[in-house]
Amino acid sequence: MKGDAHGPTGSPSSFLLDDAARRGARYLAGLEARSVRAAPAAVADLARLETPLNDGPVDPAVVLAELDEVVSPATMAMAGPRFFGFVIGGALPAALAANWLATAWDQNAALGPVTPGVSRIEAVALRWLLDVLGLPPQSQGAFVTGATMANFTALAAARHAVLLRAGWDVEGDGLFGAPPVTVIVGAEAHPTLLKALGLLGLGRRRVVRLPVDRQGRVRADALPQLNDSTIVCLQAGNINTGAFDPFEEICDAARAAGAWVHVDGAFGLWAQASPRLAPLSRGVEKADSWATDAHKWLNVPYDCGLAFVREPGALPAAMAITAEYLPSPGAERSPSDFTPELSRRARGVEVWAALRSLGRSGLAELFERNCRQARRFADGLAAAGFEILNDVVLNQVLVSFGEPAVTQRVIAAVQADGTCWCGGTVWQGRTAMRISVCSWATRDEDVERSLAAILRAAAGSRSSAVRDG
Ligand SMILES: Cc1ncc(COP(=O)(O)O)c(C=O)c1O
């Protein structure tokens, strides 16, 4: 029997939640067999959603069934093992299940005294993160929506600190008439870092751009004179090559000059969690603030990013507010003292679950396995005669199949084939296909299957080029 979708108190009946869990599990199990990209017929079927809003209520069980029937097939299989686009990652079972449970709790995770359970678990997760990422233990942190907001949040603390040194209260008085701040970024900084600078009034364009090498690493020898009103933005993991900036050298120079170093480590910061990979990010712990994502390589569900700031007090100085109706701080940490938002969901719950379920060894295994799998892609493609454009030091591979138009055709063919999904890019003038390996679900057999599909697509595109030419 289907049962009533409402429980006795008006809460969802267990039938409805069981039904959601059943449908979710069926969806995940089905990812193995289906095309990674949404089938064109499923996308066309989305037209069924284009109805006027109904006048009266609809049974929640029907609502859920409609969602599943119409929208599930039109999703991209990002949760599956063969999605290699952008830098995405799936959702670890413990993190996904914790997310569902926390959604049932529906906590507004702003204020420690009001929501002690989730506030405490976020505090614990932050302590574990500082430990596993090798960052200074006194650092303070925030759970935000992603690396864009993590950059924003950490750089708000940086802005506070450098202007305070110059005797300026930026939170109170804004930037009008403020002492100048010099912001230095690498020429290959991620555009969201520049967006964060723009949102903070520091300017997307009003930055000093450092030249980079062939892998996108900033050149330490090009560092201009620094002083205590300088913010230097470095990167752990270039979106295209996976390369790391020279932290040790630049952080030492910045420390001597009193400058602030911020690191955008959206995925690369996780190298710190593996003894084998940690040499790549050597010296990163000497920075003053860091941004990373949990929804990328830690494999928690969207959305979840993390900001950390070494100097205790700088983050709350930029973020905390008070109001008569809000409870005064208690013993329990209030997440909203550290975040741009007041009301927010408890993102730390699934981070805690991911860390707890993997442990130190599971984290290292995940990151090392994905890097090994990226290497296998690169070796397989190179052996077939295709050019790998980057040094595959982490989990990113850039491959050229020849002329830009040929590479574009291969990318389109790979996507249409549906065995796996890879996107494109232009790296320092060269058109390339990007392979980004960052899912817990990717097994070695998925890599072999995907490699075979890519080679098939390349062979097909080459022969069509010969026919066309
Ligand atoms: C280096 C870097 N910084 C920032 C971002 C933006 O992250 P998000 O989309 O989570 O805001 C990305 C995304 O891939 C990235 O690779």
PDB file of all heavy atoms in Angstrom, residues 448-469:
ATOM      1  N   GLU A 448      39.855   2.520 -17.365  1.00  0.00           N
ATOM      2  CA  GLU A 448      40.144   1.750 -18.584  1.00  0.00           C
ATOM      3  C   GLU A 448      38.988   1.883 -19.584  1.00  0.00           C
ATOM      4  O   GLU A 448      39.206   2.080 -20.783  1.00  0.00           O
ATOM      5  CB  GLU A 448      40.399   0.277 -18.253  1.00  0.00           C
ATOM      6  CG  GLU A 448      41.624   0.037 -17.376  1.00  0.00           C
ATOM      7  CD  GLU A 448      42.901   0.693 -17.924  1.00  0.00           C
ATOM      8  OE1 GLU A 448      43.101   0.687 -19.152  1.00  0.00           O
ATOM      9  OE2 GLU A 448      43.697   1.213 -17.119  1.00  0.00           O
ATOM     10  N   ARG A 449      37.767   1.785 -19.075  1.00  0.00           N
ATOM     11  CA  ARG A 449      36.595   1.909 -19.954  1.00  0.00           C
ATOM     12  C   ARG A 449      36.538   3.286 -20.605  1.00  0.00           C
ATOM     13  O   ARG A 449      36.247   3.422 -21.796  1.00  0.00           O
ATOM     14  CB  ARG A 449      35.327   1.713 -19.105  1.00  0.00           C
ATOM     15  CG  ARG A 449      34.380   0.667 -19.635  1.00  0.00           C
ATOM     16  CD  ARG A 449      33.249   0.505 -18.666  1.00  0.00           C
ATOM     17  NE  ARG A 449      32.019   1.042 -19.228  1.00  0.00           N
ATOM     18  CZ  ARG A 449      30.872   1.093 -18.575  1.00  0.00           C
ATOM     19  NH1 ARG A 449      30.790   0.652 -17.336  1.00  0.00           N
ATOM     20  NH2 ARG A 449      29.789   1.565 -19.153  1.00  0.00           N
ATOM     21  N   SER A 450      36.860   4.309 -19.808  1.00  0.00           N
ATOM     22  CA  SER A 450      36.796   5.691 -20.310  1.00  0.00           C
ATOM     23  C   SER A 450      37.918   5.944 -21.302  1.00  0.00           C
ATOM     24  O   SER A 450      37.704   6.588 -22.344  1.00  0.00           O
ATOM     25  CB  SER A 450      36.892   6.675 -19.144  1.00  0.00           C
ATOM     26  OG  SER A 450      35.860   6.428 -18.224  1.00  0.00           O
ATOM     27  N   LEU A 451      39.097   5.433 -20.983  1.00  0.00           N
ATOM     28  CA  LEU A 451      40.235   5.598 -21.887  1.00  0.00           C
ATOM     29  C   LEU A 451      39.919   4.972 -23.247  1.00  0.00           C
ATOM     30  O   LEU A 451      40.150   5.582 -24.306  1.00  0.00           O
ATOM     31  CB  LEU A 451      41.462   4.929 -21.252  1.00  0.00           C
ATOM     32  CG  LEU A 451      42.818   5.112 -21.900  1.00  0.00           C
ATOM     33  CD1 LEU A 451      43.156   6.588 -22.081  1.00  0.00           C
ATOM     34  CD2 LEU A 451      43.892   4.433 -21.040  1.00  0.00           C
ATOM     35  N   ALA A 452      39.332   3.785 -23.215  1.00  0.00           N
ATOM     36  CA  ALA A 452      38.971   3.116 -24.474  1.00  0.00           C
ATOM     37  C   ALA A 452      37.952   3.966 -25.242  1.00  0.00           C
ATOM     38  O   ALA A 452      38.051   4.118 -26.473  1.00  0.00           O
ATOM     39  CB  ALA A 452      38.406   1.719 -24.172  1.00  0.00           C
ATOM     40  N   ALA A 453      36.996   4.543 -24.535  1.00  0.00           N
ATOM     41  CA  ALA A 453      35.974   5.367 -25.200  1.00  0.00           C
ATOM     42  C   ALA A 453      36.599   6.614 -25.810  1.00  0.00           C
ATOM     43  O   ALA A 453      36.248   7.030 -26.927  1.00  0.00           O
ATOM     44  CB  ALA A 453      34.880   5.746 -24.199  1.00  0.00           C
ATOM     45  N   ILE A 454      37.543   7.218 -25.083  1.00  0.00           N
ATOM     46  CA  ILE A 454      38.204   8.432 -25.598  1.00  0.00           C
ATOM     47  C   ILE A 454      39.026   8.080 -26.844  1.00  0.00           C
ATOM     48  O   ILE A 454      38.993   8.797 -27.853  1.00  0.00           O
ATOM     49  CB  ILE A 454      39.100   9.071 -24.506  1.00  0.00           C
ATOM     50  CG1 ILE A 454      38.242   9.584 -23.344  1.00  0.00           C
ATOM     51  CG2 ILE A 454      39.942  10.198 -25.089  1.00  0.00           C
ATOM     52  CD1 ILE A 454      39.025   9.971 -22.090  1.00  0.00           C
ATOM     53  N   LEU A 455      39.730   6.964 -26.795  1.00  0.00           N
ATOM     54  CA  LEU A 455      40.550   6.562 -27.950  1.00  0.00           C
ATOM     55  C   LEU A 455      39.666   6.241 -29.157  1.00  0.00           C
ATOM     56  O   LEU A 455      39.998   6.565 -30.294  1.00  0.00           O
ATOM     57  CB  LEU A 455      41.452   5.381 -27.579  1.00  0.00           C
ATOM     58  CG  LEU A 455      42.541   5.717 -26.541  1.00  0.00           C
ATOM     59  CD1 LEU A 455      43.324   4.471 -26.138  1.00  0.00           C
ATOM     60  CD2 LEU A 455      43.500   6.791 -27.081  1.00  0.00           C
ATOM     61  N   ARG A 456      38.498   5.627 -28.885  1.00  0.00           N
ATOM     62  CA  ARG A 456      37.534   5.357 -29.976  1.00  0.00           C
ATOM     63  C   ARG A 456      37.069   6.671 -30.602  1.00  0.00           C
ATOM     64  O   ARG A 456      37.039   6.825 -31.821  1.00  0.00           O
ATOM     65  CB  ARG A 456      36.302   4.628 -29.412  1.00  0.00           C
ATOM     66  CG  ARG A 456      36.308   3.132 -29.602  1.00  0.00           C
ATOM     67  CD  ARG A 456      34.934   2.507 -29.356  1.00  0.00           C
ATOM     68  NE  ARG A 456      34.077   3.108 -28.359  1.00  0.00           N
ATOM     69  CZ  ARG A 456      34.046   2.759 -27.063  1.00  0.00           C
ATOM     70  NH1 ARG A 456      34.872   1.824 -26.599  1.00  0.00           N
ATOM     71  NH2 ARG A 456      33.208   3.342 -26.226  1.00  0.00           N
ATOM     72  N   ALA A 457      36.734   7.630 -29.732  1.00  0.00           N
ATOM     73  CA  ALA A 457      36.247   8.932 -30.221  1.00  0.00           C
ATOM     74  C   ALA A 457      37.340   9.629 -31.028  1.00  0.00           C
ATOM     75  O   ALA A 457      37.071  10.248 -32.070  1.00  0.00           O
ATOM     76  CB  ALA A 457      35.817   9.805 -29.041  1.00  0.00           C
ATOM     77  N   ALA A 458      38.585   9.512 -30.545  1.00  0.00           N
ATOM     78  CA  ALA A 458      39.695  10.163 -31.249  1.00  0.00           C
ATOM     79  C   ALA A 458      39.905   9.522 -32.613  1.00  0.00           C
ATOM     80  O   ALA A 458      40.116  10.215 -33.613  1.00  0.00           O
ATOM     81  CB  ALA A 458      40.965  10.071 -30.412  1.00  0.00           C
ATOM     82  N   ALA A 459      39.814   8.186 -32.640  1.00  0.00           N
ATOM     83  CA  ALA A 459      40.000   7.486 -33.926  1.00  0.00           C
ATOM     84  C   ALA A 459      38.890   7.898 -34.888  1.00  0.00           C
ATOM     85  O   ALA A 459      39.137   8.187 -36.065  1.00  0.00           O
ATOM     86  CB  ALA A 459      40.002   5.981 -33.695  1.00  0.00           C
ATOM     87  N   GLY A 460      37.666   7.959 -34.404  1.00  0.00           N
ATOM     88  CA  GLY A 460      36.520   8.339 -35.244  1.00  0.00           C
ATOM     89  C   GLY A 460      36.673   9.757 -35.752  1.00  0.00           C
ATOM     90  O   GLY A 460      36.417  10.052 -36.922  1.00  0.00           O
ATOM     91  N   SER A 461      37.123  10.673 -34.881  1.00  0.00           N
ATOM     92  CA  SER A 461      37.241  12.076 -35.293  1.00  0.00           C
ATOM     93  C   SER A 461      38.368  12.257 -36.287  1.00  0.00           C
ATOM     94  O   SER A 461      38.286  13.089 -37.185  1.00  0.00           O
ATOM     95  CB  SER A 461      37.490  12.966 -34.071  1.00  0.00           C
ATOM     96  OG  SER A 461      36.445  12.791 -33.163  1.00  0.00           O
ATOM     97  N   ARG A 462      39.434  11.464 -36.112  1.00  0.00           N
ATOM     98  CA  ARG A 462      40.537  11.531 -37.069  1.00  0.00           C
ATOM     99  C   ARG A 462      40.099  11.058 -38.441  1.00  0.00           C
ATOM    100  O   ARG A 462      40.366  11.702 -39.441  1.00  0.00           O
ATOM    101  CB  ARG A 462      41.667  10.624 -36.592  1.00  0.00           C
ATOM    102  CG  ARG A 462      42.823  11.396 -36.055  1.00  0.00           C
ATOM    103  CD  ARG A 462      43.928  10.441 -35.811  1.00  0.00           C
ATOM    104  NE  ARG A 462      45.012  11.090 -35.123  1.00  0.00           N
ATOM    105  CZ  ARG A 462      46.022  10.423 -34.596  1.00  0.00           C
ATOM    106  NH1 ARG A 462      46.058   9.110 -34.664  1.00  0.00           N
ATOM    107  NH2 ARG A 462      46.994  11.055 -34.008  1.00  0.00           N
ATOM    108  N   SER A 463      39.369   9.909 -38.452  1.00  0.00           N
ATOM    109  CA  SER A 463      38.991   9.391 -39.770  1.00  0.00           C
ATOM    110  C   SER A 463      37.971  10.317 -40.425  1.00  0.00           C
ATOM    111  O   SER A 463      38.008  10.518 -41.633  1.00  0.00           O
ATOM    112  CB  SER A 463      38.483   7.947 -39.683  1.00  0.00           C
ATOM    113  OG  SER A 463      37.505   7.838 -38.704  1.00  0.00           O
ATOM    114  N   SER A 464      37.108  10.981 -39.609  1.00  0.00           N
ATOM    115  CA  SER A 464      36.172  11.905 -40.250  1.00  0.00           C
ATOM    116  C   SER A 464      36.932  13.120 -40.773  1.00  0.00           C
ATOM    117  O   SER A 464      36.588  13.700 -41.787  1.00  0.00           O
ATOM    118  CB  SER A 464      35.019  12.297 -39.317  1.00  0.00           C
ATOM    119  OG  SER A 464      35.501  13.073 -38.269  1.00  0.00           O
ATOM    120  N   ALA A 465      38.046  13.520 -40.052  1.00  0.00           N
ATOM    121  CA  ALA A 465      38.853  14.658 -40.531  1.00  0.00           C
ATOM    122  C   ALA A 465      39.507  14.294 -41.862  1.00  0.00           C
ATOM    123  O   ALA A 465      39.564  15.110 -42.779  1.00  0.00           O
ATOM    124  CB  ALA A 465      39.916  15.016 -39.506  1.00  0.00           C
ATOM    125  N   VAL A 466      39.973  13.031 -41.971  1.00  0.00           N
ATOM    126  CA  VAL A 466      40.618  12.599 -43.208  1.00  0.00           C
ATOM    127  C   VAL A 466      39.577  12.632 -44.329  1.00  0.00           C
ATOM    128  O   VAL A 466      39.812  13.162 -45.416  1.00  0.00           O
ATOM    129  CB  VAL A 466      41.203  11.185 -43.030  1.00  0.00           C
ATOM    130  CG1 VAL A 466      41.645  10.615 -44.362  1.00  0.00           C
ATOM    131  CG2 VAL A 466      42.368  11.222 -42.051  1.00  0.00           C
ATOM    132  N   ARG A 467      38.350  12.097 -44.024  1.00  0.00           N
ATOM    133  CA  ARG A 467      37.277  12.092 -45.036  1.00  0.00           C
ATOM    134  C   ARG A 467      36.952  13.533 -45.486  1.00  0.00           C
ATOM    135  O   ARG A 467      36.887  13.838 -46.642  1.00  0.00           O
ATOM    136  CB  ARG A 467      36.015  11.456 -44.441  1.00  0.00           C
ATOM    137  CG  ARG A 467      35.886   9.985 -44.713  1.00  0.00           C
ATOM    138  CD  ARG A 467      34.439   9.505 -44.546  1.00  0.00           C
ATOM    139  NE  ARG A 467      33.739  10.075 -43.430  1.00  0.00           N
ATOM    140  CZ  ARG A 467      33.784   9.595 -42.164  1.00  0.00           C
ATOM    141  NH1 ARG A 467      34.511   8.538 -41.896  1.00  0.00           N
ATOM    142  NH2 ARG A 467      33.113  10.165 -41.196  1.00  0.00           N
ATOM    143  N   ASP A 468      36.791  14.439 -44.428  1.00  0.00           N
ATOM    144  CA  ASP A 468      36.420  15.822 -44.732  1.00  0.00           C
ATOM    145  C   ASP A 468      37.515  16.515 -45.529  1.00  0.00           C
ATOM    146  O   ASP A 468      37.262  17.373 -46.365  1.00  0.00           O
ATOM    147  CB  ASP A 468      36.173  16.624 -43.461  1.00  0.00           C
ATOM    148  CG  ASP A 468      35.003  16.044 -42.696  1.00  0.00           C
ATOM    149  OD1 ASP A 468      34.306  15.178 -43.257  1.00  0.00           O
ATOM    150  OD2 ASP A 468      34.801  16.455 -41.535  1.00  0.00           O
ATOM    151  N   GLY A 469      38.783  16.177 -45.116  1.00  0.00           N
ATOM    152  CA  GLY A 469      39.928  16.918 -45.696  1.00  0.00           C
ATOM    153  C   GLY A 469      40.210  16.466 -47.093  1.00  0.00           C
ATOM    154  O   GLY A 469      40.901  17.110 -47.830  1.00  0.00           O
TER     155      GLY A 469
END
